Amino acid sequence: MVENKIDEIKDDLELFDDDLQKYEYIIDLGKSLEPLEEKHKKDENLVQGCTSKVWLICEKKDDVLVFKADSNAAIVKGLVKILLSIFSGMKAQEIIDFDTQVLQKLNLQEIITPNRQSGVQGMIKRIKEYANAFA
C-alpha cells in the first residue's frame, strides 16, 4: 500500500530531532539512488519546474510502472529517491487515482525550500503524465 510506504518514510524522518538532521538523511537517501544511464540524461526526460536538473524515465514491466531518475543536486536525489520508492511498482491507474495531498503527511515543507517543493510537484506531475500515457 502506498500509504504504508509514506508512513514508513514519515516515521524515518521523525526519528530526527531537527531539520538539519532530516535534511542530511534525505541527502543520504539520495546516495543510494541508482544512477541513470547517460543516454537517458537528455532534455526530453528533464522534469519541468525543478531548479536543479532532474531526469525521469518510466517503463512498464508486467502490469506496473517502474520509474528511474537522477539529479545533479544531492538533496534533490534524496527527494527523487523518496518519490520513486512511493510510485515505482504501482499500476498506472493507481497513480492516476493517487491523491498527491497525501504526500503532505511527510511534512517536507518544513524541511525544503519552496523552490524544492515546486520541483517535487513537478516530478509528481511528470509521474502522473507517464501513468496517463500507459493507462
Side-chain angles (χ1 to χ4, degrees), residues 16-27:
F16 304 101
D17 295 329
D18 66 46
D19 289 350
L20 184 62
Q21 289 174 315
K22 290 177 185 179
Y23 204 80
E24 288 170 355
Y25 171 74
I26 293 171
I27 289 173

Side-chain angles (χ1 to χ4, degrees), residues 1-132:
M1 282 296 301
V2 178
E3 281 77 18
N4 294 353
K5 290 180 189 176
I6 291 171
D7 286 341
E8 279 177 36
I9 296 164
K10 183 178 182 224
D11 291 346
D12 288 346
L13 286 169
E14 286 176 352
L15 292 173
F16 304 101
D17 295 329
D18 66 46
D19 289 350
L20 184 62
Q21 289 174 315
K22 290 177 185 179
Y23 204 80
E24 288 170 355
Y25 171 74
I26 293 171
I27 289 173
D28 283 344
L29 277 179
K31 292 175 184 171
S32 67
L33 186 66
E34 194 176 309
L36 199 58
E37 294 175 45
E38 283 302 315
K39 68 179 181 182
H40 295 301
K41 291 184 178 180
K42 49 190 175 188
D43 288 350
E44 67 200 55
N45 294 329
L46 277 173
V47 174
Q48 300 306 310
C50 293
T51 310
S52 311
K53 289 191 177 217
V54 176
W55 298 271
L56 178 68
I57 62 168
C58 177
E59 49 193 44
K60 191 171 186 177
K61 287 190 178 171
D62 299 319
D63 209 15
V64 298
L65 302 185
V66 177
F67 295 95
K68 293 180 181 175
D70 205 348
S71 175
N72 63 346
I75 183 70
V76 178
K77 280 186 181 209
L79 297 170
V80 166
K81 177 75 176 184
I82 289 171
L83 291 178
L84 295 187
S85 69
I86 292 168
F87 290 107
S88 213
M90 288 176 73
K91 293 180 180 174
Q93 193 59 49
E94 291 173 323
I95 293 172
I96 293 166
D97 296 341
F98 180 74
D99 176 14
T100 53
Q101 299 307 310
V102 146
L103 291 175
Q104 290 178 342
K105 285 168 86 176
L106 295 177
N107 295 324
L108 290 176
Q109 67 276 9
E110 295 175 4
I111 311 163
I112 60 174
T113 64
N115 278 349
R116 297 274 189 243
Q117 290 174 45
S118 84
V120 168
Q121 292 305 318
M123 284 186 267
I124 293 168
K125 182 175 181 253
R126 188 86 164 109
I127 286 169
K128 287 205 169 227
E129 286 169 4
Y130 275 121
N132 280 311

